[in-house]
Amino acid sequence: MAFESLSEKLQTVFKKLRGKGKLSPQDVDEAMREVRMALLEADVNFKVVRNFVAQVKERATGSEVMESLTPGQQVVKIVNEELTALMGDNPSQITNAGRGPTVILMVGLQGSGKTTSSAKLARYFRKQGRRPMLVACDIYRPAAIKQLQVLGQQLDIPVFSLGDQVAPADILKGAYAEAERQALDLLIADTAGRLHIDEAMMEELTAISEAVKPQEILLVVDGMTGQDAVKVTESFNERLALTGVVLTKLDGDARGGAALSVKAVTGQPIKFVGMGEKTDALEQFYPDRMASRILGMGDILSLIDKAQENVDIKKAQEMEQRLRKAELTLDDFLEQMQQMKNMGPLDQILGMLPGAGRMKGIKDIQVNEKDMAHVEAIIRSMTPEERRRPQIINGSRRRRIAAGSGTGISDVNRLLKQFEQMQKMMKQFGQMGKNMGKMGMRMPF
């Protein structure tokens, strides 16, 4: 999970501060030494660490903190504000063309995830109501064009290609004309990368950029490369007029130093972050929300965004009514499981809850996709009547369901037992709600 190591260390530091009724300059010095070590171990650029610690220390030793009744909380507030400022304060928006399609050029080294990030970005903007087209400008990497076409087909997003014998600048010109003809409003061009930065690559990217004058040139960098990601951003920024960064694989980096260094070192904002391999695993980067996650304060706003995107509101309201009446069925159970899967990995969802890092056992939760698949197979092997009324499932029916789902009778028994316990709990909530209603009170759901 992103920033897991850094988050744990910072929370330990602040726990000590919160336990003190009054802070001395020595307390602040000791805390800042630990913060400095935590940031360096998270692979944050050393100059960034030095400036950050100096800024926090200056504010933390002022009257704002020293005379406060809750000095520990005030220090956490300062660190939160400074982390947010470090990553860019406000989220950076995409610049749109005044007229004609908006052009986004995706650049970066080979293996950074340009092609998949291009497809993710197209999906993201289509969700915003845009009409995107992907453009295959990587004519060198074997199967690069095919990969983009497959992704486009999966997402039902058009892909423009002229093969691998036409210059990338001419391909993008052709795509622009086609986008105008089809009244599309967004072009996302996947360009070729190299194993390292070289003159030929930079000249080609410059030629493509001059051909169409893109509104955005986004550098795709691998977040797991740490300080190398910052160096790559610096090198590209010297040659191209970058407008922002897409940081990939942030979900796989427990340190997260690149996310904390890129803006401060290069001046280029992180606009999007990749949080997984699936095509929906791309998020707009919010510095304030990320700072909250790092400090263990959670990220309720992002959790709400995910829920709004993936949860059917009408079905959720119907579910609430059935919960109130204790009418939960196995179909409902299956529906809820599917919607949770759509929201993303459970560890990421839990990480957005305030204080999740301090909850006992939360970080040890491992979701076994195989077990979830077994549960789904068991329920789908039941008849509609069995899903509505699980109590009718006798021994012979259990044997049939186990055979149909490729599981054992013990697996079927376990699921039915768990569901029975859940129904009992719902009945208790329902009865509690009725009792509270008689007293003029409402249940908190």
Side-chain angles (χ1 to χ4, degrees), residues 176-428:
Y176 192 91
E178 182 62 19
E180 285 190 310
R181 190 183 70 79
Q182 294 187 35
L184 303 176
D185 64 1
L186 182 64
L187 285 176
I188 300 174
D190 175 35
T191 66
R194 300 288 190 276
L195 292 175
H196 55 84
I197 297 168
D198 61 35
E199 193 63 30
M201 178 180 72
M202 287 302 183
E203 286 178 1
E204 179 176 277
L205 291 174
T206 302
I208 297 172
S209 178
E210 290 175 350
V212 179
K213 308 291 184 194
Q215 281 67 48
E216 294 280 343
I217 302 180
L218 299 182
L219 175 68
V220 183
V221 289
D222 184 342
M224 294 186 72
T225 59
Q227 286 308 294
D228 283 342
V230 180
K231 292 173 186 173
V232 168
T233 305
E234 281 188 295
S235 298
F236 270 85
N237 201 36
E238 288 171 4
R239 297 294 304 271
L240 292 169
L242 293 181
T243 58
V245 171
V246 177
L247 199 61
T248 64
K249 304 177 187 175
L250 194 60
D251 60 310
D253 183 15
R255 298 177 303 170
L260 290 171
S261 304
V262 166
K263 178 70 167 65
V265 174
T266 69
Q268 291 303 326
I270 298 171
K271 295 199 172 185
F272 296 92
V273 288
M275 299 298 289
E277 295 179 4
K278 294 181 180 178
T279 52
D280 62 349
L282 184 83
E283 302 175 5
Q284 184 178 0
F285 186 72
Y286 292 88
D288 56 342
R289 298 185 189 183
M290 192 59 73
S292 290
R293 286 194 209 184
I294 293 169
L295 296 177
M297 298 174 182
D299 184 359
I300 293 299
L301 291 176
S302 290
L303 187 58
I304 291 170
D305 288 345
K306 278 185 175 290
Q308 287 178 335
E309 182 179 341
N310 294 286
V311 174
D312 186 314
I313 301 300
K314 186 178 178 183
K315 286 183 180 179
Q317 290 171 340
E318 292 171 357
M319 178 74 71
E320 181 191 4
Q321 292 302 315
R322 288 199 290 276
L323 284 173
R324 287 177 183 274
K325 297 175 184 176
E327 295 175 351
L328 193 70
T329 70
L330 281 163
D331 277 321
D332 297 327
F333 185 73
L334 188 62
E335 176 72 28
Q336 288 300 295
M337 191 171 73
Q338 191 59 52
Q339 291 198 2
M340 279 298 294
K341 278 170 66 178
N342 290 342
M343 285 179 67
L346 186 60
D347 63 337
Q348 286 185 22
I349 300 301
L350 292 173
M352 294 179 187
L353 297 174
R358 298 189 296 275
M359 291 182 195
K360 190 175 180 182
I362 280 284
K363 68 178 183 177
D364 298 322
I365 288 179
Q366 295 291 326
V367 181
N368 192 323
E369 295 285 342
K370 193 174 178 182
D371 288 345
M372 291 181 74
H374 283 169
V375 169
E376 186 173 345
I378 290 170
I379 296 175
R380 293 194 185 283
S381 295
M382 298 176 184
T383 66
E385 183 65 15
E386 288 168 345
R387 294 182 202 176
R388 283 194 301 272
R389 298 172 56 224
Q391 63 269 26
I392 69 171
I393 303 177
N394 56 23
S396 61
R397 288 175 185 258
R398 292 178 193 225
R399 285 192 293 274
R400 191 204 78 239
I401 292 166
S405 60
T407 60
I409 294 176
S410 60
D411 297 316
V412 178
N413 290 340
R414 189 182 308 113
L415 172 61
L416 292 173
K417 183 68 176 175
Q418 289 172 345
F419 185 71
E420 182 186 351
Q421 291 170 343
M422 187 185 299
Q423 282 186 314
K424 286 179 181 176
M425 185 176 69
M426 288 302 107
K427 284 180 182 176
Q428 289 172 356

Side-chain angles (χ1 to χ4, degrees), residues 86-103:
L86 192 65
M87 293 184 283
D89 279 318
N90 300 313
S92 297
Q93 305 295 326
I94 291 291
T95 301
N96 290 305
R99 54 191 294 271
T102 296
V103 180

Side-chain angles (χ1 to χ4, degrees), residues 144-159:
I145 296 173
K146 183 65 178 175
Q147 182 188 359
L148 195 66
Q149 289 171 335
V150 168
L151 288 167
Q153 190 174 18
Q154 288 174 356
L155 297 170
D156 195 25
I157 292 172
V159 177

